[in-house]
Amino acid sequence: MNHKKIGVQNFRVFKDYTEFELRPITLLTGPNNSGKSSFTKLLLLLNEGLNPLNFTKGNHNLEEFSKILNWNTDDPSLTIALPVNNFFGPGVLMHLEYKEGKINSFQMKDGNRVILSLDYQEEVKEETNSFFKIIEDSQKLYFDINYVIGLILNKKFYVAQNRTYKVEDKQQKSSLQFANKITPEFVMLNNIDNKRNVSRTLNLSNLKEKYEEIVLAHNEVLESQNLSNFALFNEIDNLDENELLFTLRAGGQNITDSYREELLKAQGDSFANLIFNFSSGPDLDIYDLPALFDKIFESILSKIRNSIISHFRKLLETEDITLELNSLGNLLFEAKVFNDEPENQRFYQKTIFDSLSSIDFSFNEKLEYVSANRGNQKRVLHNSSDSDIDQIVLEFSQLKDQNLPFLKKALEILEIEGELEVNRYQNYISVVSIQNKGRNIPLADIGFGYSQIIPVVLKIIVMMESSSILIRDTRGLLILEEPEANLHPNLQSKFADLLKIAQEFYPNLNFIIETHSEYLIRKLQFLTAKKELSPEQSVIYYFNADKYVSREEPKVKKIEITPTGNLTDTFGPGFYDEATRLQFDLMKINREQNN
């Protein structure tokens, strides 16, 4: 199971680089004032845009860039690491360095290995006898092309794989094909092989013809992207096992074998030191990273050719040097194997190299937030108030289908008999009640604890059921602040059961939960031991109080729940051992009094 990772450095409590692996259930726990909310505030900030960071919108309540930096360092920059979500897969992160709220440099890294980096360079030139200063912007690009070549030769890169649908009615093919393309799953290329006997007959030259043949033979809609992935697999199998992208000729003669090592070195060096000069203007903002990468990538190949040719002209002291793409180079730069518009009649628009520049510079999550101030015992709710429940109930009331299996199951877990009903009056107020055996029981009469937990249940439904399949197939991220607030221990434990069934009904929904609840954590351990949750579905991040941070005890430590329900590490002092400490202190006092 691949999980999204997010890293941060020099943001509030995170002085050192700290990486979080987001799982379906991610718990943030620790003493008060230990910094748990720093991570959720970061996510809420990123949700308002990556470049520049937006401090005027959202629920993050952060004032300005200078005030979010760690207070124990003079470093003026902030680093945020996010998944790339393309060819490289979930293990590769883009590291964005911010200064004054804008991205100043960019790195793409696999662990500590830098794959690609982009640094802004600004040179100010003052003209003689002029009152004007000329600012020349340039971008220095480093590209580890050998890393990319290794992924291709070993078929270790990620491709989009779409689900297929059986087609009973031939007239429904086009609409089902469109629905099929909504949520591609990124999988390793070598995972798709041998799914069909026909896959080995595919190559990049016969894809369009084979598409209709396979659809008819298997009576199902198959995305053209899937076919191109099968063909891509076959093409790679037929490549020579070498890392050269070019054939080198001098005086018309192929001299590649004679200068293989020199050519390989020149190839790597050329990709590692590329300078691009672009001026800001109406067509290009140098801080508009998607546009900048498109501009850079469209000119890389010509720059590399010129660099290598120039190198060998000097080395061999001849001008008659030519450089041609070989089969690997053609597969990387020329073959149109990716289709980013499946509903378009054109099958293939993008090369592998094109896909490398298709970096999603957005947070790319449907993120929602429910605060600790979410419930109240008012009988009448308005469209908005200081409590989250008013707005959540309004959103829930706008759903076409409110009688949902998840809601029924949630009420069953909470031991609330009957059905939840929302009545709207004059499009301004809402009344929430439970209908049971002819009785109408206002939510306010059930108990304050239930008024705290029902908004969470309804928020889950609103996130995952609103609009259409387009929304339900979108990955959602729901941040919950202290869901145990005002809940009896029994309800805190049942909240773990709610998380479990939410995963069953909405597997695309992930939770990030700030909590102090031992009952919630212990119940998750119990559910994992019973194999009702897998160990990969949850993770705990414990935030230590500053006074306990040391070389042995980091500010944030990752704790996992093992298959037997145990924890892989201990919580910090003064947290879950507090009840035990008080018990021993009480026993000690009793002994002293008895003596």
Side-chain angles (χ1 to χ4, degrees):
M1 183 181 292
N2 294 314
H3 302 294
K4 174 168 288 191
K5 294 181 179 180
I6 295 177
V8 60
Q9 182 174 2
N10 201 30
F11 177 81
R12 291 170 64 91
V13 301
F14 305 112
K15 179 181 179 181
D16 301 319
Y17 180 75
T18 306
E19 197 168 273
F20 293 85
E21 180 185 32
L22 302 189
R23 296 191 183 178
I25 303 171
T26 301
L27 301 184
L28 312 177
T29 192
N32 288 328
N33 201 33
S34 59
K36 298 184 295 298
S37 64
S38 289
F39 183 60
T40 56
K41 285 180 180 292
L42 173 68
L43 299 181
L44 292 168
L45 176 63
L46 298 180
N47 195 48
E48 301 304 327
L50 293 187
N51 196 30
L53 296 174
N54 191 330
F55 293 92
T56 61
K57 292 175 58 181
N59 296 318
H60 50 71
N61 198 29
L62 298 169
E63 296 181 60
E64 60 185 48
F65 183 76
S66 62
K67 294 184 179 180
I68 67 173
L69 301 177
N70 181 269
W71 42 85
N72 292 321
T73 178
D74 295 327
D75 186 353
S77 64
L78 160 70
T79 298
I80 296 171
L82 297 170
V84 177
N85 296 320
N86 70 351
F87 171 94
F88 294 102
V92 174
L93 300 180
M94 56 179 179
H95 291 246
L96 308 173
E97 182 191 81
Y98 289 84
K99 287 187 177 178
E100 299 180 355
K102 290 185 176 181
I103 295 175
N104 185 68
S105 68
F106 168 92
Q107 285 189 329
M108 194 184 296
K109 299 172 72 174
D110 183 353
N112 292 323
R113 183 171 181 176
V114 177
I115 303 167
L116 185 152
S117 68
L118 181 68
D119 291 294
Y120 296 102
Q121 299 178 339
E122 182 178 275
E123 183 179 355
V124 179
K125 293 183 178 180
E126 191 164 349
E127 297 246 338
T128 308
N129 301 323
S130 173
F131 293 103
F132 298 99
K133 292 181 179 180
I134 299 175
I135 300 177
E136 292 187 354
D137 293 309
S138 64
Q139 291 77 35
K140 181 178 181 181
L141 184 76
Y142 166 85
F143 197 169
D144 187 349
I145 193 64
N146 291 329
Y147 179 92
V148 175
I149 292 171
L151 293 181
I152 293 173
L153 293 178
N154 293 294
K155 298 190 287 286
K156 295 296 184 184
F157 58 92
Y158 284 72
V159 294
Q161 169 115 336
N162 291 299
R163 295 190 296 269
T164 57
Y165 290 77
K166 288 289 182 182
V167 180
E168 303 300 335
D169 182 355
K170 297 293 191 296
Q171 301 300 319
Q172 296 293 318
K173 283 186 179 180
S174 60
S175 60
L176 282 174
Q177 182 178 344
F178 180 80
N180 185 26
K181 67 95 184 176
I182 292 172
T183 52
E185 176 188 6
F186 276 80
V187 298
M188 291 286 289
L189 179 64
N190 58 0
N191 287 343
I192 69 168
D193 191 38
N194 296 325
K195 286 194 174 181
R196 301 180 191 282
N197 294 330
V198 73
S199 66
R200 284 297 178 183
T201 68
L202 290 171
N203 56 59
L204 294 177
S205 64
N206 71 352
L207 279 174
K208 192 168 184 177
E209 294 75 17
K210 283 288 183 180
Y211 175 77
E212 292 295 334
E213 177 186 324
I214 291 177
V215 168
L216 292 174
H218 293 272
N219 194 33
E220 62 185 12
V221 172
L222 180 68
E223 285 290 346
S224 56
Q225 179 65 70
N226 289 355
L227 264 67
S228 68
N229 292 343
F230 295 139
L232 186 57
F233 192 104
N234 298 338
E235 297 285 342
I236 294 172
D237 275 352
N238 292 327
L239 291 174
D240 295 332
E241 287 294 326
N242 73 71
E243 297 178 337
L244 290 177
L245 299 170
F246 303 99
T247 297
L248 179 66
R249 297 183 186 277
Q253 298 296 312
N254 186 341
I255 61 170
T256 306
D257 289 340
S258 301
Y259 290 91
R260 181 174 299 276
E261 293 303 317
E262 187 68 26
L263 179 56
L264 191 61
K265 182 178 183 304
Q267 175 179 285
D269 291 345
S270 298
F271 276 97
N273 189 24
L274 291 160
I275 303 295
F276 299 87
N277 295 296
F278 299 121
S279 298
S280 297
D283 297 326
L284 181 67
D285 180 348
I286 62 167
Y287 293 106
D288 182 357
L289 288 176
L292 184 59
F293 268 83
D294 285 344
K295 195 80 172 174
I296 285 173
F297 270 71
E298 71 183 18
S299 59
I300 282 181
L301 181 56
S302 62
K303 278 182 170 286
I304 296 301
R305 283 181 187 272
N306 293 338
S307 176
I308 296 176
I309 288 173
S310 176
H311 173 78
F312 278 97
R313 281 176 177 171
K314 291 178 182 178
L315 180 68
L316 302 178
E317 298 180 345
T318 176
E319 292 294 310
D320 193 5
I321 298 292
T322 58
L323 203 63
E324 304 165 0
L325 289 174
N326 60 18
S327 56
L328 175 59
N330 183 72
L331 183 60
L332 179 60
F333 292 106
E334 299 293 341
K336 303 287 187 179
V337 296
F338 290 113
N339 179 3
D340 57 353
E341 301 177 45
E343 72 275 18
N344 195 305
Q345 292 304 309
R346 294 177 300 147
F347 270 49
Y348 324 106
Q349 292 92 42
K350 298 175 67 176
T351 67
I352 292 178
F353 198 69
D354 291 333
S355 73
L356 301 180
S357 67
S358 300
I359 300 168
D360 188 355
F361 290 98
S362 64
F363 185 52
N364 200 31
E365 293 285 347
K366 178 180 171 59
L367 184 145
E368 298 284 353
Y369 171 73
V370 178
S371 72
N373 184 30
R374 57 186 165 272
N376 62 50
Q377 286 189 295
K378 294 179 181 178
R379 294 178 180 275
V380 175
L381 305 176
H382 295 82
N383 286 352
S384 63
S385 75
D386 293 335
S387 301
D388 294 345
I389 188 172
D390 296 70
Q391 179 65 30
I392 292 172
V393 168
L394 171 62
E395 294 171 349
F396 176 77
S397 71
Q398 295 169 343
L399 295 178
K400 291 182 179 179
D401 184 5
Q402 298 172 15
N403 190 22
L404 298 163
F406 172 73
L407 179 56
K408 291 181 178 180
K409 188 66 177 178
L411 294 178
E412 179 184 319
I413 287 173
L414 298 174
E415 299 181 12
I416 298 176
E417 296 183 4
E419 295 183 354
L420 186 140
E421 183 177 280
V422 176
N423 290 303
R424 293 280 295 164
Y425 300 96
Q426 297 182 351
N427 200 30
Y428 178 66
I429 61 175
S430 305
V431 176
V432 184
S433 60
I434 300 295
Q435 302 293 326
N436 182 32
K437 298 178 181 178
R439 296 179 59 204
N440 185 306
I441 308 169
L443 180 62
D445 291 348
I446 297 178
F448 187 60
Y450 289 104
S451 74
Q452 289 286 94
I453 203 168
I454 289 296
V456 176
V457 173
L458 298 185
K459 188 64 174 182
I460 291 170
I461 293 170
V462 168
M463 279 188 71
M464 305 309 289
E465 295 287 347
S466 59
S467 297
S468 66
I469 190 174
L470 289 171
I471 298 299
R472 291 200 297 273
D473 279 354
T474 300
R475 185 163 295 282
L477 183 59
L478 179 57
I479 298 175
L480 300 176
E481 181 185 7
E482 298 183 12
E484 72 275 9
N486 299 297
L487 297 188
H488 182 275
N490 179 259
L491 271 184
Q492 294 182 38
S493 175
K494 288 182 182 298
F495 193 81
D497 296 306
L498 284 178
L499 296 176
K500 179 179 80 75
I501 66 161
Q503 286 295 296
E504 294 170 358
F505 280 90
Y506 305 116
N508 281 353
L509 178 60
N510 287 0
F511 295 91
I512 296 180
I513 303 171
E514 289 184 53
T515 182
H516 298 106
S517 175
E518 178 177 5
Y519 301 101
L520 171 58
I521 293 175
R522 298 306 185 203
K523 187 59 175 290
L524 289 174
Q525 291 177 251
F526 175 77
L527 292 173
T528 304
K530 285 188 66 179
K531 296 184 171 43
E532 294 183 29
L533 285 174
S534 73
E536 291 77 24
Q537 283 182 275
S538 65
V539 64
I540 304 166
Y541 286 97
Y542 182 82
F543 287 67
N544 268 301
D546 288 341
K547 64 181 179 180
Y548 296 123
V549 175
S550 64
R551 288 186 178 181
E552 294 75 26
E553 196 70 17
K555 178 63 183 175
V556 181
K557 62 179 177 180
K558 181 180 179 181
I559 302 174
E560 300 191 61
I561 301 175
T562 69
T564 57
N566 295 314
L567 299 178
T568 57
D569 207 336
T570 58
F571 294 106
F575 198 63
Y576 289 154
D577 59 351
E578 188 68 8
T580 304
R581 184 187 67 78
L582 289 173
Q583 183 178 7
F584 277 107
D585 286 348
L586 181 60
M587 292 171 59
K588 182 178 178 181
I589 291 172
N590 288 335
R591 282 199 305 268
E592 290 173 351
Q593 290 176 342
N594 291 332
N595 291 333

